[in-house]
Amino acid sequence: MSTKLNELQNATVGMTVGVIEVLCLQPFNYCKNMIQQGQPLSFDPRKLYRGVGANAINMGSCTMIQFSVGGSLKKMVLGGEDRQLKTHEEMGTGIAAGVVSALVGSPLELIMIQQQRKGGNSVETFKSIATPNNFLRGFIGAAVREGLWTCGYLSIPPIVRRNLREMYPDKFDSDAKARVPAALLGGLFACYLTQPFDTVKTCMQGDIERETYGTFTETAKKISQDGFTAFYRGATFRYGRMVCAVFMMDTLQVRLREGGCDFVMLMFEYLGSLFGG
C-alpha cells in the first residue's frame, strides 16, 4: 500500500497482485489445507487447482481491501507530514487492514476448502453452504490470521529493509539487496505466528457438518490433543507460499514508491518483470 496512490489505485494494485499470487501458488494452498485436515494429497492438477476461482476472488478482493484500507490508514496516521511511519504505526495499520479484509475473505475461503474436500464448482458449493450458521464459520481465526499476515507482508519488509540498510550500509547498499532477507523474515513472521489460527479455521471450515469440530475453542482443544505441533501441520507449504507472496508484493510496493505517478505503465512494468525474470 502506497501513500502516493489514491484509494482506487491502491485497490487496483492489491486486486491485481492478489490474483497473480493465487494463480502462481494455489498448489501450495491445496497441500497446506489437506495436511491440516488430515486428508490425503493428490498431485492431479485438477485437484491441486480446485477452488482456484474462489481463492482468486478471495485474494484479489482481500489484497485490494488491505492495500486500500492500509493506504488510507497510513495517510491518516501521517496527517500530511513528510516522514516515515514509526515501527508501531507501520505494524498497526497493517494489522487493522487485515482484520477488515477477513469479513470478505473468510466466506470465500470456506467455499474453496469445501470444493477442495468435496469437488464441485463454486456456484454449487456456495448454494450448499449459504446459511447464516455456516457463512462466517472460522471468522475469528481468519481475522487474527489476516491481521498478522497483512502486517507481515505490508509492514515487516519495509522495516527490515530500512534497518538492514542503516545497520549494514556496505552490504545492503540498495533496496534490491535487502529485499530477499526482508521477504524471508516477513514470511516467517506472517506464517508461524498465524499458523495455529489458520489451522483451527481450516479444520472448522472443512467440517461444516460439525461432526468433529465445533466452535473455535472446541476445535482448538480437539487439535491440541495431538500435541502443540498439530497446530503447525502444513506450515512448510504455507511458509513457501508466503515467502514468494511477500517477495512479489514487496517488489510491487517499492516500484510504486519509486515510480511516481505513471500508474498504468508501472503496473505493466511490474507484470513484465514478474513473468519475464
Side-chain angles (χ1 to χ4, degrees):
M1 52 192 171
S2 171
T3 57
K4 291 186 177 181
L5 301 181
N6 61 40
E7 283 73 14
L8 178 60
Q9 290 173 328
N10 265 317
T12 304
V13 170
M15 179 180 66
T16 303
V17 77
V19 171
I20 291 168
E21 186 263 322
V22 166
L23 295 177
C24 292
L25 306 176
Q26 176 71 4
F28 285 83
N29 207 321
Y30 164 82
C31 292
K32 186 269 297 181
N33 286 340
M34 292 298 101
I35 290 172
Q36 283 176 319
Q37 298 171 81
Q39 299 294 310
L41 290 178
S42 170
F43 294 99
D44 181 341
R46 293 170 298 179
K47 292 186 178 180
L48 287 172
Y49 274 87
R50 261 186 192 167
V52 68
N55 201 28
I57 296 170
N58 168 33
M59 284 301 295
S61 57
C62 280
T63 315
M64 174 180 70
I65 292 168
Q66 290 159 6
F67 268 62
S68 181
V69 172
S72 297
L73 290 174
K74 283 187 173 185
K75 290 177 183 177
M76 286 174 58
V77 170
L78 289 172
E81 295 180 46
D82 185 16
R83 64 174 178 85
Q84 289 184 330
L85 288 170
K86 297 175 183 176
T87 299
H88 71 276
E89 293 171 337
E90 192 92 55
M91 296 180 72
T93 55
I95 290 170
V99 171
V100 171
S101 73
L103 290 166
V104 173
S106 183
L108 287 167
E109 284 194 19
L110 175 61
I111 295 172
M112 175 190 68
I113 289 170
Q114 284 294 302
Q115 280 186 265
Q116 289 175 338
R117 287 202 62 166
K118 301 173 182 176
N121 60 48
S122 297
V123 175
E124 292 171 347
T125 305
F126 174 79
K127 289 178 180 177
S128 70
I129 65 171
T131 67
N133 197 35
N134 286 333
F135 221 56
L136 287 180
R137 183 161 170 77
F139 172 73
I140 294 174
V144 175
R145 185 203 63 193
E146 286 302 312
L148 294 176
W149 152 244
T150 308
C151 179
Y153 85 80
L154 286 181
S155 303
I156 299 298
I159 294 169
V160 173
R161 279 201 321 272
R162 188 162 60 242
N163 286 335
L164 286 175
R165 294 200 63 185
E166 289 175 357
M167 296 172 66
Y168 307 101
D170 294 334
K171 189 170 184 178
F172 298 102
D173 55 1
S174 68
D175 274 350
K177 291 182 179 179
R179 190 171 298 127
V180 172
L184 290 171
L185 288 172
L188 190 67
F189 174 92
C191 178
Y192 287 95
L193 277 183
T194 63
Q195 181 70 13
F197 297 97
D198 183 71
T199 298
V200 174
K201 178 208 72 72
T202 300
C203 289
M204 290 178 68
Q205 292 185 329
D207 182 26
I208 58 172
E209 296 82 10
R210 294 161 174 79
E211 293 176 357
T212 304
Y213 302 109
T215 65
F216 183 89
T217 303
E218 290 168 348
T219 303
K221 287 181 179 178
K222 179 72 175 175
I223 295 170
S224 69
Q225 291 175 3
D226 293 329
F228 183 72
T229 55
F231 288 102
Y232 284 87
R233 291 173 183 155
T236 302
F237 287 104
R238 189 162 179 251
Y239 180 58
R241 172 184 163 242
M242 283 187 166
V243 169
C244 295
V246 168
F247 184 85
M248 290 163 64
M249 292 174 180
D250 188 44
T251 301
L252 177 58
Q253 286 193 88
V254 172
R255 286 180 176 271
L256 284 171
R257 189 162 55 249
E258 294 174 350
C261 300
D262 198 350
F263 175 73
V264 175
M265 286 303 299
L266 192 59
M267 285 300 300
F268 277 111
E269 287 175 13
Y270 172 70
L271 294 175
S273 69
L274 200 59
F275 293 110

